[in-house]
Amino acid sequence: MTIQTTRLSDPAVRAFVAAVNAHDREAFLALLAPDATMSDDGSDRDLDDWIDREIFSSHGHLEVDRESRGGRALVARYCNDTWGEMRTRWAFTVGDDGKISRFETGQA
C-alpha cells in the first residue's frame, strides 16, 4: 500500500518526495546541502545532470511503498517519461541542518 507523502516520517525526505512529485526544481534544490552528492545503481553521478535528466525533464514521480531507518530509506515505485515505472530503493543522509547531503537510488 502506498504511503501518502504527507505521512512520511522524515521532514527532509517528505519534502524531497513532494518536490519531485510537484516537479518543483527550486524547492528540490533548496533541500540539498551545497556539496550534496548522489549515486544511481551504485555509481556516483553528476547531481545536476542526473536530476535534470531523470527527474525534471522526464517528469519523474515517486509513489512510496515502504520506509525504514526513521524515514530515511524508502522503497518506491518511480516512473518517468524515459524509463516508465520501476521499483526503486532510496537512501538519504540528512545533516543536522535538515539538508540532504547525499541520496542513493537504484532498482530494488
Side-chain angles (χ1 to χ4, degrees):
M1 175 178 257
T2 302
I3 302 171
Q4 293 178 1
T5 302
T6 57
R7 295 188 177 268
L8 293 171
S9 301
D10 186 272
V13 174
R14 182 171 54 242
F16 179 100
V17 173
V20 168
N21 290 347
H23 310 290
D24 188 339
R25 190 177 199 281
E26 187 174 314
F28 181 93
L29 291 174
L31 299 167
L32 302 178
D35 58 349
T37 61
M38 64 86 51
S39 72
D40 185 0
D41 280 329
S43 296
D44 280 2
R45 309 290 180 162
D46 177 89
L47 180 66
D48 291 329
D49 176 63
W50 190 91
I51 63 173
D52 285 339
R53 186 179 68 257
E54 299 293 339
I55 297 175
F56 295 107
S57 68
S58 62
H59 306 102
H61 189 82
L62 275 165
E63 294 289 333
V64 178
D65 292 327
R66 188 172 68 236
E67 66 174 0
S68 59
R69 288 189 19 220
R72 292 189 178 172
L74 308 176
V75 173
R77 284 169 285 129
Y78 185 73
C79 66
N80 67 23
D81 293 344
T82 304
W83 305 108
E85 185 174 305
M86 65 189 90
R87 189 167 172 80
T88 57
R89 59 175 169 66
W90 298 76
F92 298 87
T93 303
V94 180
D96 292 339
D97 61 357
K99 299 282 187 179
I100 297 170
S101 59
R102 181 167 177 84
F103 67 92
E104 299 175 5
T105 188
Q107 294 194 46

